[in-house]
Amino acid sequence: MILANAFCLFFFLGEEFYEASPYEPVTSRLSDIFRLASMFSGTGADPVVSAKSNHCLDAAKACNLNDNCKKLRSSYISICNREISPTERCNRRKCHKALRQFFDRVPSEFTYRMLFCSCQDLACAERRRQTILPSCSYEDKEKPNCLDLRGVCRTDHLCRSRLADFHANCRASYHTVTSCPADNYQACLGSYAGMIGFDMTPNYVDSSPTGIVVSPWCNCRGSGNMEEECEKFLRDFTENPCLRNAIQAFGNGTDVNVSPKGPSFQATQTPRVEKTPSLPDDLSDSTGLGTSVITTCTSVQEQGLKANNSKELSMCFTELTTNIIPGSNKVIKPNSGPSRARPSAALTVLSVLMLKLAL
């Protein structure tokens, strides 16, 4: 009884920590967008030219060439940079709404390039960090406790569903090649982008060009006896190999090709046949007898006719009991030996006739 109660408590806590995602699972992949990212990031091109390129700047320029992307990007930049008063630098609620509209309505081939662009220098990495205007949408005067921030997020049904979706698609899995559930980078990147514009908005913690670390604006100070749970929650962002691998793979334009899970079936192979001498050119596999003879044999066998009542039956007997000597044109009966070992049939008949005449 005690074990059962302990199991129920563990199950409840597990459900409380990782809630089920209300969204349909993402089964498609980002192969086409990854290839575009590879083209724009210069993967496979001259390494010197690629290293000097600011891919985040290139992504912003590409956005400006698309009317919808340019319009919605200009909108959230204007709103998030608008100072309300000397003590209130912006309207965070409106900034979050404008960001949600941008990431929900602009195709991911533009938004992902701005959010997950690969960087080789500090300037590029800082532009990447500034993508969501973090001074308004992300940072605050003080960092709240992560569990308190999670509690605030869960009071809003949309923020709660986006957080659950992130955990479902980005939770580190040590049974897959990429450390992502079902080896699906797209599901993780989409869930991450889906949290931008809420209280749980994540972002890059610094401008490091190579060390990718993202986190919500929170810490685990003052967690009390919930510190372990808080640290675990925070590590799902800061030390998440699935999320880190997905961001790096997109920035480098290197999607993963993973075979579908399930039992592996080997291709059917032709049974091995020992090499035997080929049949002579004037004989076929049926020992020279036509298909009509085989058909006759079948009907005769089914009707149960006697051997001495039909000429066709004698042909059947010949077809079914003869073999071909490999490498020759001779057809012999199975029980026959060398011709010199037994008297011929003609000699036997002649001896019988001579004996009758003598009598």
Side-chain angles (χ1 to χ4, degrees):
M1 186 67 178
I2 296 177
L3 289 176
N5 290 336
F7 174 77
C8 292
L9 178 62
F10 174 79
F11 180 80
F12 174 78
L13 289 176
E15 285 293 302
E16 178 71 19
F17 193 86
Y18 290 126
E19 296 185 325
S21 172
Y23 301 103
E24 291 291 331
V26 178
T27 56
S28 59
R29 296 186 180 276
L30 283 171
S31 299
D32 292 338
I33 301 179
F34 270 75
R35 282 193 289 271
L36 284 174
S38 175
M39 292 170 57
F40 289 114
S41 66
T43 303
D46 187 346
V48 177
V49 176
S50 179
K52 293 181 179 180
S53 300
N54 188 326
H55 304 308
C56 295
L57 178 59
D58 295 339
K61 292 178 179 178
C63 177
N64 287 334
L65 295 177
N66 179 274
D67 291 338
N68 188 43
C69 185
K70 179 180 179 180
K71 176 184 176 181
L72 291 176
R73 179 169 177 261
S74 299
S75 176
Y76 85 74
I77 289 177
S78 174
I79 294 173
C80 297
N81 276 330
R82 189 178 302 155
E83 185 176 315
I84 303 300
S85 67
T87 57
E88 190 176 4
R89 54 191 169 187
C90 70
N91 187 322
R92 174 171 287 197
R93 184 181 60 83
K94 290 184 177 180
C95 177
H96 278 175
K97 182 179 179 180
L99 279 169
R100 291 197 301 269
Q101 290 178 342
F102 176 76
F103 285 100
D104 289 343
R105 298 180 183 181
V106 176
S108 54
E109 62 186 271
F110 297 105
T111 60
Y112 285 16
R113 285 184 58 198
M114 295 174 59
L115 201 56
F116 307 124
C117 43
S118 62
C119 291
Q120 302 294 329
D121 56 50
L122 189 65
C124 176
E126 177 60 20
R127 173 175 281 274
R128 180 175 62 187
R129 193 185 72 84
Q130 290 289 338
T131 297
I132 65 169
L133 280 298
S135 61
C136 180
S137 66
Y138 177 67
E139 300 167 0
D140 208 344
K141 296 177 181 178
E142 295 181 359
K143 283 188 176 182
N145 180 273
C146 290
L147 295 184
D148 291 341
L149 187 63
R150 183 183 70 176
V152 173
C153 175
R154 286 182 173 177
T155 61
D156 178 81
H157 72 279
L158 191 54
C159 182
R160 183 172 192 161
S161 65
R162 296 291 177 92
L163 178 60
D165 196 56
F166 170 78
H167 283 309
N169 294 315
C170 292
R171 184 167 43 184
S173 172
Y174 299 99
H175 303 290
T176 57
V177 175
T178 61
S179 298
C180 287
D183 287 308
N184 195 334
Y185 282 152
Q186 176 181 2
C188 181
L189 294 179
S191 298
Y192 175 90
M195 286 195 301
I196 296 175
F198 294 94
D199 292 316
M200 195 59 70
T201 296
N203 196 32
Y204 300 92
V205 299
D206 55 33
S207 300
S208 171
T210 54
I212 296 178
V213 180
V214 299
S215 173
W217 183 259
C218 65
N219 57 35
C220 287
R221 294 174 186 171
S223 297
N225 58 359
M226 301 292 288
E227 184 173 2
E228 184 177 350
E229 181 177 350
C230 182
E231 292 290 348
K232 180 180 179 183
F233 175 80
L234 188 56
R235 283 196 300 270
D236 281 342
F237 294 90
T238 59
E239 301 177 19
N240 188 326
C242 167
L243 180 60
R244 183 177 62 250
N245 292 342
I247 294 174
Q248 288 178 335
F250 182 84
N252 297 328
T254 53
D255 196 5
V256 65
N257 294 320
V258 181
S259 300
K261 301 294 182 182
S264 59
F265 297 97
Q266 293 183 349
T268 304
Q269 297 181 352
T270 305
R272 184 178 177 180
V273 180
E274 296 295 334
K275 187 175 181 181
T276 56
S278 58
L279 294 175
D281 294 335
D282 57 344
L283 290 175
S284 66
D285 291 342
S286 62
T287 67
L289 296 175
T291 56
S292 60
V293 176
I294 298 177
T295 304
T296 303
C297 295
T298 304
S299 62
V300 169
Q301 291 173 345
E302 290 175 351
Q303 296 174 13
L305 300 180
K306 294 182 179 180
N308 58 353
N309 292 341
S310 172
K311 178 179 179 182
E312 288 82 357
L313 191 57
S314 64
M315 294 177 63
C316 291
F317 180 80
T318 304
E319 189 270 342
L320 295 172
T321 59
T322 56
N323 292 314
I324 300 173
I325 300 176
S328 70
N329 294 342
K330 295 182 180 180
V331 180
I332 63 171
K333 294 183 180 181
N335 295 332
S336 64
S339 58
R340 61 188 178 187
R342 298 175 57 190
S344 65
L347 183 60
T348 303
V349 174
L350 182 59
S351 301
V352 174
L353 291 176
M354 291 180 62
L355 181 59
K356 287 184 177 182
L357 290 174
L359 295 176

